[in-house]
Amino acid sequence: MSSLTNLIQRHSDLDSVDRDWLMLLLADWQLLADLALADLVLWVRDGDGRYVAVSQARPASAPTLFYRDLIGQPVREQWEMEVEAVYERGVTIRSSAPDWFDEIPAQLTTSPVFSTRNVDGRAQRSAKPIAIITRHTNLAGTRQPTRQEVTFRECSEDLFDMIAAGEFPDLDAPEFSRRGAPRASDGLVRLNTEGVVTFASANALSALNKLGFGGELEGEVFSEVASTLVDDKRNVTVDEALPLVVTGRAPWMSDVDARGVTVTLRAIPLRRAGERLGAIVLCRDTTDVRNQMQELITKDATIREIHHRVKNNLQTVAALLRIQARRAHNDEARESLLQAMRRVSSIAVVHDTLSGGFSQSVDFDEVFARVMRLATEVAGGASAEVRPSLEGSFGAVPSEFATPLALALTELVTNAVEHGFPDGAEGGVVSVTVERDDDNLEILVRDNGQGMVGGHEGSGLGTQIVRTLVEGELGGTIEWKSNPGSGTLVEISIPKRWGVVTS
């Protein structure tokens, strides 16, 4: 769960549908700030009727008003009346007098955020605002706005009207990566209801010029301009979404490749009371971004192949150790070889998981299940009747932590199976419990066997390996506890240095 989602959940009573709506809105948070030429603050209402800031954005297109973050703070007294009025009335309120902030005059505009959900097959707007947005426009050094600034503000007003109507964000918009997505300053084209260009920024015109368009955009039907760029199919690559994007009828994104240049187009349809007003089309030359992404994909494929080969080599080593163990005439030597084989195989499992995806983190629940099967198979004897169980979830763990964690748990579970039930495993139980918070990963490994000999942990190689892995590699703590007649409990606490573990 992201820190932003945590903030919303902590300071509001919103359900999961409304929280998801806010997260979709905040995906375009910077775009809204840039179009409004204003600082934006998102406020949610807690159970006591107080308003807390959970997100803010500074405009890249205008001077910022807030040099310090407001996130986590309650609404200031000077804005509280407007925020409460907007929540109760559900309409946008614009201050008539300057709102002074740190001796800087500003225009305060307060807007409601309504969500829309599907109820019995029909779209239904929320009864009350789920959040409030305040726009703070810096009025210091006010000058005559440029035509681009006027258009930006007009577009922002249309979008904020849609937000207040529960029509933005658009649930029909497909999911797409924000990496390389066009921004307002990259290039903006405004279309009317007929798809005619009413405004095109200089950067938008420059991006299309690189594709081969040599005229003026304003007054042209944008879809016809696009069609002239894609007439020569031999030198141009487009996708099937392009016609919907250039007409502004669908909230999609499309790429056009021509002359060695890639331009990304993103359409945002504008509506009022369900009627089309036109659209915004954002343009960006993403040639460098696409080249970088291709390089990353190539590198990811190489890393996956390396993990695959490492896994194969480790499995070969494990197979050699197994063969050597079968030929050993000494029981102690055979046991040592089998333990080494198990440890090598545990590491191979992690590399096998990493070779199957592009992420450099692993689903450790899957790794745990595989290494536990391996541990009980190698332990022999009691393993046929003792199967470790998992309560809770490890979630995603970076590869550099997955290997020592897998090895440590393999050692602990194997020791519990082998040494906790020397007189037979009937009724034997080995359980692993995982608890997570924002700071630590708590792991409990318990069995109902005979407990530790002498009431304290042993000093063998396995115990030394576990302590070294937990305290040295993972930076955590480990403690063994023994209760005569009720087995052994091992408590592990690991600080989540890699951040919040996701499920």
Side-chain angles (χ1 to χ4, degrees):
M1 182 182 295
S2 71
S3 58
L4 180 55
T5 306
N6 278 331
L7 271 174
I8 296 173
Q9 191 166 351
R10 186 184 313 144
H11 295 294
S12 73
D13 296 328
L14 299 176
D15 60 21
S16 60
V17 175
D18 288 339
R19 291 198 302 269
D20 290 344
W21 183 273
L22 288 183
M23 294 305 294
L24 285 174
L25 173 65
L26 292 174
D28 281 318
W29 198 224
Q30 187 60 53
L31 173 64
L32 291 169
D34 291 345
L35 290 176
L37 286 78
D39 289 89
L40 304 184
V41 184
L42 181 72
W43 309 89
V44 295
R45 195 170 192 261
D46 64 17
D48 297 323
R50 296 171 298 192
Y51 297 89
V52 179
V54 294
S55 185
Q56 76 178 81
R58 297 178 177 88
S61 53
T64 184
L65 191 67
F66 303 134
Y67 291 94
R68 293 178 178 84
D69 285 347
L70 302 177
I71 296 173
Q73 297 181 20
V75 66
R76 293 200 171 196
E77 185 177 352
Q78 68 193 84
W79 307 325
E80 189 172 8
M81 184 179 298
E82 283 86 353
V83 169
E84 181 63 31
V86 168
Y87 180 82
E88 293 299 332
R89 295 165 56 188
V91 297
T92 296
I93 296 178
R94 184 174 285 105
S95 64
S96 56
D99 175 65
W100 290 87
F101 184 87
D102 289 347
E103 300 182 353
I104 300 175
Q107 169 80 51
L108 174 65
T109 307
T110 311
S111 301
V113 178
F114 284 90
S115 65
T116 298
R117 64 180 67 199
N118 190 300
V119 179
D120 296 328
R122 298 177 59 187
Q124 181 173 310
R125 196 184 80 159
S126 56
K128 280 286 189 180
I130 63 172
I132 303 295
I133 297 175
T134 52
R135 280 176 274 170
H136 307 262
T137 306
N138 193 330
L139 298 179
T142 302
R143 54 174 174 75
Q144 185 69 24
T146 65
R147 186 160 173 257
Q148 175 170 301
E149 290 172 338
V150 171
T151 303
F152 275 23
R153 286 196 172 116
E154 289 175 351
C155 293
S156 75
E157 291 296 336
D158 290 333
L159 287 173
F160 278 103
D161 287 346
M162 291 171 63
I163 292 171
E167 296 179 337
F168 188 85
D170 197 321
L171 294 180
D172 293 331
E175 292 185 8
F176 61 89
S177 172
R178 298 287 165 172
R179 177 180 172 83
R183 300 159 297 193
S185 58
D186 293 325
L188 182 143
V189 176
R190 177 71 187 256
L191 307 181
N192 64 15
T193 53
E194 286 76 34
V196 176
V197 177
T198 60
F199 172 81
S201 69
N203 286 343
L205 186 59
S206 176
L208 292 177
N209 285 343
K210 293 177 183 179
L211 294 176
F213 177 71
E216 291 294 330
L217 274 175
E218 293 186 19
E220 299 289 337
V221 177
F222 195 54
S223 60
E224 294 178 359
V225 171
S227 67
T228 64
L229 299 175
V230 300
D231 279 343
D232 187 357
K233 301 295 185 181
R234 296 169 300 175
N235 300 316
V236 178
T237 302
V238 298
D239 59 46
E240 58 187 11
L242 183 62
L244 294 173
V245 172
V246 295
T247 57
R249 293 182 175 274
W252 287 8
M253 193 160 66
S254 177
D255 290 336
V256 180
D257 297 310
R259 300 183 175 185
V261 175
T262 301
V263 172
T264 298
L265 305 175
R266 180 193 173 192
I268 303 176
L270 301 176
R271 294 184 292 273
R272 180 174 296 152
E275 298 294 327
R276 290 186 67 244
L277 293 177
I280 302 168
V281 180
L282 302 173
C283 314
R284 182 182 182 185
D285 180 354
T286 54
T287 306
D288 291 341
V289 175
R290 298 302 175 194
N291 290 339
Q292 291 172 4
M293 291 179 65
Q294 188 59 48
E295 290 176 2
L296 287 174
I297 291 173
T298 302
K299 290 179 180 178
D300 283 339
T302 302
I303 291 171
R304 292 174 64 193
E305 178 62 22
I306 290 172
H307 283 304
H308 181 71
R309 294 188 182 187
V310 170
K311 181 264 297 184
N312 287 345
N313 290 339
L314 289 173
Q315 288 181 337
T316 300
V317 173
L320 292 173
L321 289 171
R322 184 188 291 271
I323 293 172
Q324 192 66 39
R326 289 174 178 171
R327 297 189 176 187
H329 300 292
N330 183 282
D331 290 341
E332 184 177 352
R334 182 183 301 106
E335 179 62 24
S336 296
L337 289 169
L338 287 174
Q339 288 179 0
M341 183 216 72
R342 182 191 66 234
R343 292 162 187 153
V344 171
S345 297
S346 298
I347 301 173
V349 168
V350 176
H351 284 281
D352 186 34
T353 304
L354 287 168
S355 69
F358 288 103
S359 174
Q360 283 302 295
S361 62
V362 298
D363 179 358
F364 198 80
D365 294 323
E366 177 187 348
V367 172
F368 175 82
R370 294 177 62 182
V371 297
M372 289 307 101
R373 284 196 299 269
L374 176 66
T376 52
E377 287 172 2
V378 175
S383 66
E385 302 176 37
V386 179
R387 293 293 177 183
S389 62
L390 173 64
E391 298 178 16
S393 174
F394 290 96
V397 176
S399 58
E400 61 266 31
F401 297 101
T403 297
L405 185 57
L407 279 173
L409 291 176
T410 300
E411 292 292 331
L412 290 173
V413 171
T414 303
N415 287 341
V417 173
E418 290 183 336
H419 305 299
F421 310 99
D423 299 325
E426 183 177 354
V429 175
V430 177
S431 65
V432 178
T433 303
V434 183
E435 296 180 357
R436 307 176 303 171
D437 57 32
D438 290 344
D439 301 315
N440 295 293
L441 186 66
E442 307 289 344
I443 305 171
L444 304 178
V445 181
R446 54 166 63 90
D447 66 70
N448 61 347
Q450 67 174 3
M452 295 180 292
V453 178
H456 56 80
E457 73 271 17
S459 57
L461 178 60
T463 302
Q464 295 176 26
I465 289 175
V466 171
R467 188 177 293 279
T468 299
L469 291 171
V470 172
E471 297 178 348
E473 297 291 324
L474 298 172
T477 60
I478 183 168
E479 184 178 359
W480 281 265
K481 296 181 180 179
S482 180
N483 295 319
S486 59
T488 302
L489 171 65
V490 183
E491 298 180 350
I492 300 174
S493 179
I494 302 171
K496 291 193 292 193
R497 292 173 290 170
W498 58 86
V500 178
V501 175
T502 57
S503 57

